Amino acid sequence: MPYTKRRRLVSSAVAVALGATALAACGSSSDDGEAQSGPVSLTYWTWTPGMDKVVDLWNKGPGKKEQITVTVKKQASGDTLVTKILTAHKAGKAPDLVQAEYQALPTLVSNDALADVADTVGDVKSKFAEGVWQQTTLGTDAVYAVPQDIGPMMFYYREDLFKEYGLSVPATWEEFAETARKLKKAAPDKDLTTFSANDSGLFAGLAQQAGAQWWTTSGDKWKVGINDDATKKVAEFWGGLVEEGAIDNQPMYTPAWNKALNTGKQIAWVSAVWAPGTLTTAAPDTKGKWAMAPLPQWNEGEGRTGSWGGSSTGVTTDSKNKEAAAKFAAWLNTDGDALNALAKEGGIYPASTSAQLSGAFMSPPGYFANQPDFYKKAAAIAETTAPSAWGPNVNVAYTTFKDAFGAAAKNKSDFTAALDTMQQDTVADLQKQGFGVAE
């Protein structure tokens, strides 16, 4: 459909709104110029390792039959890629396809950078869990991307050390806190885990599990709820553990953190399904000593998890071959051979539910050879992922998190005050961009 110069807000079940000074909603392959006839060449911006080898399967198979060739252009991930996509789009030169994290989709859509491919991706919705699919539709009838990989959150622990110290795997967060205290009493030089203030995605996933809705809409305005009751509960919980010294307060992904995991100074980790790859590098000496379990719950038996990471494949509004690009995006994220190659070459955990228990995922990760049902359990946990609600300035919220929570964790000060700072900065940025903001 044609786009207009008015602000366009779309309310949804997950309360994701779209809107900016330039507006979205391109949808068919005939928009923005005529599609090329004959052979088609597409460009795909992605950061996934080994994607060129995966794309070769398309170029030599289905793509060759349909005369559609895809060329991979490796990119940085995160905000760097989002900025690059938007810059290219302003010049009308964005690539045909882009890899985009789920939290970046509202930003890209509100800037009219992603096309609605609902009519061209085919019947792929059934391949994904509802909570995953809604992240690419933004709660509308449009489809702005095809899910690629997901990061359902889980609890990892040193099975041998839990047994040594008489610890039980916590089923609730209250039990988690008691486990941390029990370990600290038995072994003062050890910590159950750490609160890492350099990982905003981890905190967002924990808040998501608790029922947080950071961005919603009220009429034609955004409503920011980063300091809502659910998130305050999470902040108070972790802030309390840090303040009393029951857990460590150092950041992750540092040499010191690696050593703590490798030597057993820290014996658990709240992470996501991709953790085995990290542990293989961070704690090589403890291979076969870890186990995975569902995330502790706020209410016993609740059965809900958050998400940390995950991305999708979108078709840009600049593409002159949207239909061809959408066919490739659908193939890449639903075809069995493609998904096996993505797992092997890129180390991803597929969003496609059928792929989660087939091919590369029929056996556990090598690091977790002691847990044969690793991926069976992971697939069951993935189905319990809580809905998420992203907005157009996630980058601002995440940056403020690192600053405000970083200081609070270091000083063992009030985490809820840091949460209020996140709320204030996020609202101020929306207003600065010209969005209407509800109280």
Side-chain angles (χ1 to χ4, degrees), residues 5 15 52 118 140 150 209 213 252 285 342 373 384 389 422:
K5 294 295 183 181
D52 53 338
T140 72
I150 55 175
Q209 184 211 19
Q213 295 283 295
M252 297 188 296
D285 297 339
L342 277 171
D373 64 345
T384 71
M422 277 184 72

Side-chain angles (χ1 to χ4, degrees), residues 31-94:
D31 293 342
D32 300 330
E34 295 297 325
Q36 296 175 6
S37 59
V40 172
S41 296
L42 305 174
T43 302
Y44 178 27
W45 285 2
T46 174
W47 65 83
T48 299
M51 184 61 81
D52 53 338
K53 295 180 181 178
V54 182
V55 170
D56 278 346
L57 297 177
W58 166 267
N59 289 335
K60 295 175 182 177
K64 185 174 183 179
K65 294 177 183 177
E66 298 192 37
Q67 294 186 300
I68 301 171
T69 301
V70 179
T71 299
V72 170
K73 298 290 186 181
K74 289 295 293 291
Q75 306 292 327
S77 60
D79 292 342
T80 301
L81 179 55
V82 173
T83 300
K84 187 172 182 179
I85 293 169
L86 294 179
T87 300
H89 170 62
K90 288 178 181 177
K93 297 181 179 179

Side-chain angles (χ1 to χ4, degrees), residues 96-269:
D96 299 278
L97 296 132
V98 294
Q99 182 176 359
E101 292 176 295
Y102 297 116
Q103 69 267 23
L105 292 178
T107 300
L108 294 171
V109 171
S110 69
N111 282 277
D112 192 28
L114 291 184
D116 171 10
V117 293
D119 295 334
T120 50
V121 292
D123 185 23
V124 299
K125 178 181 178 180
S126 62
K127 303 287 186 180
F128 307 98
E130 182 61 31
V132 174
W133 183 251
Q134 60 86 10
Q135 292 199 83
T136 62
T137 66
L138 308 186
T140 72
D141 292 331
V143 176
Y144 293 106
V146 180
Q148 181 165 297
D149 61 303
I150 55 175
M153 294 177 66
M154 304 159 184
F155 179 69
Y156 294 86
Y157 64 100
R158 280 284 298 274
E159 204 169 21
D160 56 334
L161 295 180
F162 262 57
K163 183 177 181 180
E164 179 180 338
Y165 292 108
L167 306 176
S168 299
V169 178
T172 66
W173 287 112
E174 183 179 355
E175 291 176 5
F176 178 93
E178 289 304 317
T179 301
R181 296 178 185 118
K182 184 176 180 179
L183 173 65
K184 182 59 69 174
K185 185 176 181 180
D189 62 326
K190 296 184 182 296
D191 293 289
L192 181 64
T193 191
T194 187
F195 178 84
S196 178
N198 64 353
D199 283 285
S200 44
L202 169 59
F203 184 78
L206 291 170
Q208 178 187 351
Q209 184 211 19
Q213 295 283 295
W214 283 5
W215 285 269
T216 57
T217 55
S218 178
D220 62 352
K221 296 181 179 180
W222 282 101
K223 187 172 184 180
V224 181
I226 292 177
N227 63 349
D228 63 7
D229 290 342
T231 311
K232 281 182 178 178
K233 177 169 64 175
V234 175
E236 289 170 353
F237 176 81
W238 288 93
L241 291 177
V242 168
E243 185 178 1
E244 69 177 88
I247 61 173
D248 197 6
N249 62 341
Q250 300 303 309
M252 297 188 296
Y253 306 113
T254 64
W257 180 73
N258 291 347
K259 183 177 180 181
L261 292 180
N262 201 38
T263 61
K265 187 178 185 303
Q266 286 184 24
I267 69 170
W269 184 26

